[in-house]
């Protein structure tokens, strides 16, 4: 499998996942208060939304690469 087809498949899968879920979230540890040797940490949940146009664009570009990427003029 050549690298162009691999990139096309990754774009197709990533775009499909972006359209299905719409984003992802993760937990970030931050230090709230630090008094000498005592340290208070807080876990914050961060959410990143993936725009719909990015998912559609990734699927479209991946499909075009898969169809026309291996052709030589």
């Amino acid at each position: 499998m050549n690298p162009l087809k691999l990139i096309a498949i990754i774009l197709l899968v990533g775009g499909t996942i972006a359209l299905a879920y719409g984003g992802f979230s993760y937990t970030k540890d931050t230090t709230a208060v630090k008094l000498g040797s005592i340290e208070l940490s807080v876990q914050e949940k961060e959410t990143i939304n993936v725009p719909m146009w990015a998912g559609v664009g990734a699927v479209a570009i991946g499909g075009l690469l898969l169809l026309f990427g291996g052709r030589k003029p």
Side-chain angles (χ1 to χ4, degrees):
M1 182 179 291
N2 62 6
L4 198 57
K5 283 188 179 181
L6 184 63
I7 291 171
I9 291 172
I10 290 171
L11 281 172
L12 283 170
V13 170
T16 305
I17 290 172
L19 288 174
Y21 291 107
F24 61 94
S25 62
Y26 63 95
T27 304
K28 179 174 71 170
D29 290 331
T30 57
T31 303
V33 177
K34 191 173 187 181
L35 296 170
S37 62
I38 299 173
E39 185 176 302
L40 221 87
S41 62
V42 178
Q43 290 184 343
E44 296 178 23
K45 187 174 181 181
E46 299 282 332
T47 302
I48 297 177
N49 295 322
V50 178
M52 185 178 285
W53 61 265
V56 171
V59 169
I61 292 171
L64 288 173
L65 281 176
L66 198 58
L67 289 176
F68 301 115
R71 296 187 182 179
K72 294 185 180 182

